[in-house]
Amino acid sequence: MSIKILLLQARHSDDLALVEERRSFAMKAGISEEQIIPFDMLNTTPTMVDVRKFDALMVGGSGDYYVSKKNLPGFQQVMELLADVVAIGHPTFASCFGFQLLVEALGGRIVYDQKRMEVGTYQLTLTNSGLKDDLFRYLPPNFMAQLGHKDRADRLPEGVLNLAYSQNSPLQALRIPNQPIWATQFHPELNREENLLRFERYLDGYANFMSEDEMKETINRFRESPETEGLIPRFLEVVFGTAAFSHR
């Protein structure tokens, strides 16, 4: 079995993270880039027919779009799509912007909160649900994770499990109960170098509200996060079994 994954992206064509994001997901998943098919959400929204052509759906981050502002082109169509994805239980893993989209699509609430933004590497803690979850229970109770967000979840949808929290943000990861659907506010597809590169690339945007000293402090905050790099391959193993890696 050679799985195929649809990756929803919200990035402009000149954003270098457009290509890097696909590569990062493939590398962390342990599959080839050819097995991850990117889809440009800035152009149009896929249909459920499109999504079901693939074994799994993944949703990445965003450099310029905010769920709190609802400024993604076709925002309502994306909301309806993700709600349908959950309704049929299509295997899904979403990170950062994808996490926020999923929260909003299912009736939760995303807010813009610059004072509690997290950029760099932070310690997260598993909740009781996380300690028992099929994916997260393999993490240590406290672990380091790569983050980069100003939006955050203020309320999860009813019935959705919260798997982890940080000092700044109490809602860091979710699981749809009894469904192969997970999402993380943090970036398990990124390591220290990849996350730091992304921050340095967006320095001009951060300069609007961060002093030079705050930028230096942020850069010094980046650390390794080896534990979270196992989440995406474990997602594939839990959903598809070891056959997901038959190309190796």
Side-chain angles (χ1 to χ4, degrees):
M1 176 185 180
S2 180
I3 66 170
K4 289 286 187 179
I5 296 171
L6 184 66
L7 174 63
L8 302 188
Q9 295 186 288
R11 299 186 183 278
H12 295 288
S13 59
D14 60 351
D15 185 348
L16 295 178
L18 183 71
V19 174
E20 294 168 351
E21 185 171 59
R22 179 190 184 194
R23 183 182 307 128
S24 294
F25 270 102
M27 289 180 62
K28 301 304 181 300
I31 61 178
S32 68
E33 285 189 54
E34 289 71 26
Q35 290 174 265
I36 294 186
I37 310 304
F39 190 100
D40 179 12
M41 287 193 292
L42 303 188
N43 182 44
T44 186
T45 302
T47 65
M48 274 305 305
V49 173
D50 296 324
V51 171
R52 297 187 76 167
K53 292 177 182 177
F54 296 84
D55 300 292
L57 176 69
M58 291 186 177
V59 190
S62 171
D64 298 301
Y65 297 94
Y66 293 82
V67 172
S68 62
K69 300 177 182 179
K70 299 178 172 57
N71 61 346
L72 176 72
F75 181 82
Q76 187 56 42
Q77 287 80 6
V78 173
M79 294 291 97
E80 293 170 2
L81 172 70
L82 292 178
D84 289 344
V85 165
V86 172
I88 69 167
H90 191 74
T92 299
F93 193 104
S95 75
C96 197
F97 185 63
F99 166 85
Q100 297 159 5
L101 287 171
L102 195 58
V103 168
E104 193 81 14
L106 299 179
R109 183 170 63 190
I110 298 296
V111 297
Y112 183 84
D113 192 350
Q114 186 175 302
K115 291 183 179 180
R116 296 170 70 179
M117 74 174 181
E118 295 170 307
V119 180
T121 314
Y122 290 77
Q123 178 176 284
L124 273 59
T125 301
L126 293 178
T127 64
N128 288 335
S129 295
L131 289 167
K132 297 179 288 187
D133 182 72
D134 292 335
L135 300 189
F136 280 70
R137 62 190 174 95
Y138 293 98
L139 293 170
N142 298 290
F143 59 94
M144 304 305 291
Q146 304 299 331
L147 288 112
H149 69 95
K150 303 182 194 73
D151 272 2
R152 65 171 179 86
D154 181 58
R155 184 185 71 242
L156 287 186
E158 184 177 355
V160 171
L161 300 175
N162 179 42
L163 305 178
Y165 63 91
S166 69
Q167 183 176 355
N168 284 345
S169 184
L171 305 172
Q172 284 282 356
L174 66 82
R175 167 81 186 274
I176 307 299
N178 305 313
Q179 298 277 33
I181 300 172
W182 287 264
T184 61
Q185 177 61 83
F186 58 94
H187 288 278
E189 79 278 12
L190 297 181
N191 58 28
R192 175 190 179 277
E193 291 75 18
E194 292 166 325
N195 198 23
L196 177 57
L197 177 62
R198 190 169 292 181
F199 172 71
E200 291 174 338
R201 186 172 292 146
Y202 298 144
L203 275 180
D204 288 345
Y206 287 108
N208 294 328
F209 56 86
M210 292 176 68
S211 67
E212 186 173 339
D213 287 342
E214 287 173 328
M215 287 189 180
K216 290 179 180 178
E217 181 182 346
T218 298
I219 291 174
N220 290 333
R221 191 182 297 130
F222 286 83
R223 300 285 186 272
E224 299 295 340
S225 56
E227 297 92 349
T228 61
E229 293 179 23
L231 285 175
I232 294 176
R234 193 173 300 121
F235 163 76
L236 297 180
E237 291 175 357
V238 167
V239 176
F240 302 108
T242 55
F245 301 92
S246 61
H247 73 281
R248 289 178 174 176

